Amino acid sequence: MIVPANYENLDILHENTMPSRAYYIPASRAIENLVEHREDSDRFQLLDGNWKFRYYASIYDVKEKFYEENFDTESFDEIPVPSVWQMHGYDHHQYTNTRYPFPMDPPYVPLENPCGTYVHTFSYQTDEKALNAYLNFEGVDSCFYVWMNGSYVGYSQVSHSTSEFDVTKFLKDGMNTLAVLVLKWCDGSYLEDQDKFRMSGIFRDVYLLKRPKQCVCDYFTTTSITGQKATVDVRFKYMDKFMPVSVCLYDQAKNLVSKSEAEQIKEDEEGWQSLVSLQVSAPHLWSAEDPYLYRIEIVCGGEVIADQIGIREIKTRDAVLYINESKVKFHGVNRHDSDPVTGFTISLDQMKRDLLVMKQHNVNAIRTSHYPNAPQFYQLCDRYGFYLIDEADDEIHGANDVYLKGDDWQKRVAAWSRPIADNPAFTESVVDRTKRLVQRDKNRPCVVIWSMGNECGYGCTFETALAWTKKFDPGRLTHFESARYTSNDRKYDYSNIDLYSRMYPGLFEIEDYFGDNPDKPFIMCEYSHAMGNGPGDLEEYFEKFQKYDGFCGGFVWEWCDHAIYKGETIDGKKIYAYGGDHQEDPNDGNFCMDGLVYPDRRPHTGLLEFKNVHRPARVVSFDQETKEITLHNYMDFKNLKGYLNLDYELNCDGQIVGTGTVGTDEIPDIPAHEEAALKLNFHVPSKGKCWLKVNYTLALDEGLLKAGFPLGFDEIMVETEDCQNQMTLQLLKDEKYCHDEIHVEEDDRYLYVENEAFSYTYNKLTGLFKEMVYEQQQLLEQPMELNIWRAPTDNDRNLKHEWMRAHYDHAFSRAYETTMEQSENQVTIKSTVSLSALTIQRILNIQLVWSIDSCGKVKAEIHMKRDMEFPELPRFGIRMFLPEKMDQVVYYGLGPVESYPDKRRASFHGLFKDEVAKMHEDYIRPQENGSHDDCEYVKVQSERYGLTVVSDKTFSFNTSVYTQEELTSKAHNYELVPSGYTVLCVDYRQNGIGTNSCGPSLLEKYKLDEETVTFSFQLQPYKI
C-alpha cells in the first residue's frame, strides 16, 4: 500500500500537525474586514481552484507515487477545491441517518477504501518579514496525507476541523507542487455518523499563512462585567518564546477604548505565557438582539492580528440561564452544511443567505449540528447576532444499531456506549475532537454553549472531554444530550454538564421535569421535527418556554432539506434526489428532507409558522370598549420603543373597514419581558365577523434586515351584534322560489332529480351524488365520495401504518336504505350508509340527509358514528372531482398560507382569491398539503359557472390538481401527474399535523378521534 494505515490506527490521529489554536488571519498591517475579505491580507495565500484529481475505488489501486515532484498528471481529471467528489460524478451518493455504511468493527474500515489523489501547483514567494509558512486545511473528509514538492508533510483527520502544517522547510520560491491523498473512511468515521449524505474530499478552503519566526501563536479572549465596567482579558502563547505584544481595543466608531501591553505570566498547564487586561467603562454588551462588536488589534513580531470582540457573560443561577443578567430564550434551529449543488462546500455567500433567511423568520440561535462549521460562519454570527451551540464533530449513532439478541430499548441503550463512548481506547480521539472545536472557536462571542456531540452514548471518553472543557473555559456552558444514554455498569460523572438537554420531549415530560425541583436549566437541542408538512406543535412549546424561567428554549430539527440537485424536468421542475435514489444500501429514504426550508432555501410553510410563533411582541389582552390592547415584549434585551412600528387593520367579512398606524414615537416604553397598554382608533361595524390584525414591522435598518421588514402579526376577534359573516348568512338563506317544480324519477340504482335549471343523479347504492349538472354544465366529473384518507404527511409516517392497516386508504361507502320525500320546492333524500373496506368491519356508520331545493341548492347533513376500535381518522368529509376549468378559488377563512388544527399561526382570517394550481404546496416527497382551516365558505369557479360550499359552522377545505391517491403513490414531486380535475375536499376537519416523524404523538386535542360527528354544509351551483 502506498501509505501506512494511519487511518485505522487510534494511536495516530494526526502527524506533524500544529497544535490547535484560535482561528485568525494575520497581516503585516491592520486591515478592516478580514471576515469577508481575508484575501486582503498580504500574509494569506489562498490555494483554492481547479486541482488535478484522480478517483480510486480502493486505496489498493493507488500504485503510482503521484506526490513526487515531477509526476505526470496529464491523464488526471480536474476538480474544484473546495468541493466533494460525489458532486462531480465520482463514487456515489449515500444518505443514512443512524446506520454506519460499513461493518461496525472499530477501528477498522472497509479494506477497499475509496480515495482521491489531488495535485496542485502554485507559485510562492518568500516574505522576508514572514519567513515561516503554514498550510491550512479547513475541512477534509475523512482523513488525508500531505506532500509538498515530493516530501511527506503529515497526516490528519477530524473532517470538520482545521489541520495546520508547518511547511516552511518544504517550500521554495517559484512553482511548488502540493499533493494530497484523501480517504473516504478512517477510524474517525465511527465518530462522524451524522444524519447526512456521506460525502468526501477537500470540502473547505486550503491556504497558506506567512508568519514571522517569532510571533503570537494563539490567544484567548474572555470578558467579565462588574457594574458599569467590563474587563477584556487576553492570554497569549507564542511560537517559541515570549515576545512583546501591544493590544488596542476600538469601538465601532473607531475610537480607541483601551490599550495595553501584555505582561509575562507563569506558564500554566494550557501554555498561556502572557496576559493583557483591558478595562472598558460603560461597555456596550453583545447579544443576539444587539450584536455590538469591538475591534481588537494585536501587534507582535512584525504582524497584526485583528479580531472582533463581543463583551457578554453567560451563566446559570437557580436553574435559569442568563446572558448579561437577562433570562434568555433560544428560538433556534439545527443547521447542517448542506447545498443541493455544492454539498458540504458552503461559500460565504451561502452562509449569509442562510443567516438572512433566519433573521427574516425570527431565528435567534443555531446549533451547528453536528460538527463545527467553517470558521467564518461564526464571525458572521458574531456580526449579525445569533447564539450558537457549537458542537464537536462527534456522532456515534451507528453503535446503537448493532445486532442484539432479545432486542429491547433499555438493552440497546446499555450496549450503545460500550464499543466507543465508554471505551478508553477512544478517549484520545474524543478529547481531540473537543479540543479542536474549543480551541478554534474560543474567541467567538456568538458561541455560548459547547456541545460534546450528538447521539453518541456516554462514558469515560466524554467525561474526560467535559472535564477538560469546563476547566479550560468556565465562562461558557456545556451541553450533551447523549449523557442520558447509559448502562447500569457503573456510576457516571455529570458534574461538568450545565444544561439538562432533551430531544423531542412530550409536553408532559417538560411538566414532570419542572415539577421535580430541577437544578439545571432545561433545553431542547432538537424538537418539532420539521419534516415535510410540519411542524405542528410550535405554539404549544412556545407556551412552555414562557411558563418556566428555567426553560431556555429549543432548536427545531432542522434548518434545510438535504437533497442532491439532478437538473430539471422537461417542464422546468427541479429534480431533487434523496436517500435511495442512488440505489445505495443502506439508506434512510427521505428522512433527510426534514427542514424548515427547501434545498434552494425557499421557506416551507413551517418556517412561516415558526416566524409568527416567535414574533417579538404579542397582544396579550384587548379591551374592545376602550380599544386598548396590552402588548407584551418577548424580546430579551430590547425595548419595543424604537425597535418596531405597529400598524393595524380591522377586517370585517373579508373587507378592510379600518386601518391605523402607531409610529416609533407613539409606541409605549416596553422593556424586555414587560408589557404596556396602547390605545388604537377604529370603528366597529354593528354586524359582521370582524378581526383586528396587528402587524409589527422593523423601525430601523438592523443588520441584515431593512426598516419596514415584517416581524409578525397578531389577530384578535372583535365582537359585533351578531359576530356573523354577512355573506355567509346570505348564502345560507333559503330562497323562496327559483324555478319550476322538481321532477324525480327512480330506478333500482339511481334517483334522478331535476328541473329546468339542474339535473342531479343520486346513487342509492353509495348514498352520494353520481352526477350534478347545473345550467347544462357538468359539475361532477366523477361521483362524489365520502373521504377519510389524506396522502400521509411525513409526520404521519408512523401513524400511516395503522391507517393503512385499517384500510383507510381504500375505504368506500355502501348504502343500506335510501328514502325520498318530495314537497313543492324540495326533495329530501335520506340514506343509511357505512364506510368500510375489503376484509374488515365497518369503520363508520353514517346517516346522510340531502335536501335539494328548486334552485339546485343541496343541503347536506352527515351524522357519523365511528367504531372506536379504529385509530383516529386522517380527515372526515366529502371529495368532489370538478371540471379542470373550475380553477379559480375564493374563500373566507384562514389564509393565504396552508393551515391545520395545530399549524395555523402563519395564517389569518380574510377573503382570499387564488388559483387551484397555486394552492398546492410542492413538498419534495408528495403529501397532504394546501388545506385551509376555519373556513365559512369557498367558491370554486370557471369563467362561466361555479360551486359554493358554505356552512354555519367552520370547516376546512383544499383544492388541488392532484388526487390524494397520486400524492400517496409518488415518491417525488416531479413525478406527479395532474388528475385532469379540480379536486375539492370539504372536511369537517383534518387530523392535526404534529411532529411524530421524530417526536411525540399528536396532542389529543388535535386528533380527529371523536366517536360521533355531525357535519352540515350546503352546495350551491351558480352561473357567472
Side-chain angles (χ1 to χ4, degrees), residues 797-830:
R797 70 194 316 263
N798 298 312
L799 182 57
K800 75 175 182 182
H801 300 296
E802 277 301 297
W803 285 350
M804 289 179 170
R805 198 166 73 86
H807 296 272
Y808 285 175
D809 53 333
H810 293 105
F812 56 87
S813 63
R814 194 261 200 208
Y816 300 91
E817 180 182 17
T818 295
T819 62
M820 184 272 294
E821 296 178 1
Q822 185 172 5
S823 62
E824 181 180 357
N825 294 314
Q826 182 170 292
V827 171
T828 302
I829 305 170
K830 297 180 181 180

Side-chain angles (χ1 to χ4, degrees), residues 276-295:
V276 64
S277 292
L278 304 172
Q279 304 304 312
V280 183
S281 298
H284 194 147
L285 304 185
W286 184 97
S287 70
E289 294 175 17
D290 185 11
Y292 188 93
L293 294 172
Y294 292 85
R295 175 180 169 83

Side-chain angles (χ1 to χ4, degrees), residues 929-941:
N929 70 86
S931 181
H932 291 276
D933 202 17
D934 210 29
C935 288
E936 298 199 12
Y937 64 84
V938 56
K939 298 182 176 185
V940 186
Q941 61 192 35

